[in-house]
Amino acid sequence: VQLQASGGGSVQAGGSLRLSCAASGRDFTINSMGWYRQAPGQQRELVATIARGGSTGYADSVKGRFTISRDNAKNTVYLQMNNLKPEDTAVYYCQVRAVDDRSFEFYENWGQGTEVTVSS
């Protein structure tokens, strides 16, 4: 599975951005999809996840401001980020957990990262 993320950029505090991550390839079924972020000098942290059935989970720091969604037909996950704060500045990575339809092996892939910068 190859992942292509897009939608990062620079905004002022209070602004919004929408990240997208499209998965492509053959013979796979995606289970969960998610977004992580890594700020300079910090460890990568979970932002939000969404299961195939649509159940979601969020980091406490983004609850009420970020919304994760997915389009299963397009194998795409989105992250709508509203009321952005300077502390949201980071490189955002999408992640998928999938199963190979032929071997039934489970695996995890990461996107290339997209940078989000929020200025005060």
Side-chain angles (χ1 to χ4, degrees), residues 18-97:
R18 187 187 193 216
L19 306 183
S20 300
C21 180
S24 61
R26 294 181 62 183
D27 301 320
F28 65 92
T29 300
I30 293 176
N31 293 328
S32 67
M33 307 181 84
W35 289 95
Y36 289 70
R37 67 187 181 186
Q38 187 167 19
Q42 303 293 319
Q43 290 188 332
R44 190 173 297 188
E45 64 175 1
L46 173 67
V47 176
T49 60
I50 184 166
R52 184 167 185 81
S55 59
T56 59
Y58 295 92
D60 287 343
S61 59
V62 306
K63 283 180 181 177
R65 300 187 297 122
F66 291 10
T67 302
I68 189 170
S69 60
R70 63 188 283 175
D71 184 332
N72 289 334
K74 296 181 179 180
N75 286 326
T76 299
V77 63
Y78 306 96
L79 186 68
Q80 178 65 44
M81 304 185 293
N82 297 328
N83 191 21
L84 282 159
K85 303 176 180 180
E87 51 263 43
D88 295 318
T89 296
V91 177
Y92 285 69
Y93 298 89
C94 60
Q95 180 219 54
V96 297
R97 290 178 176 164

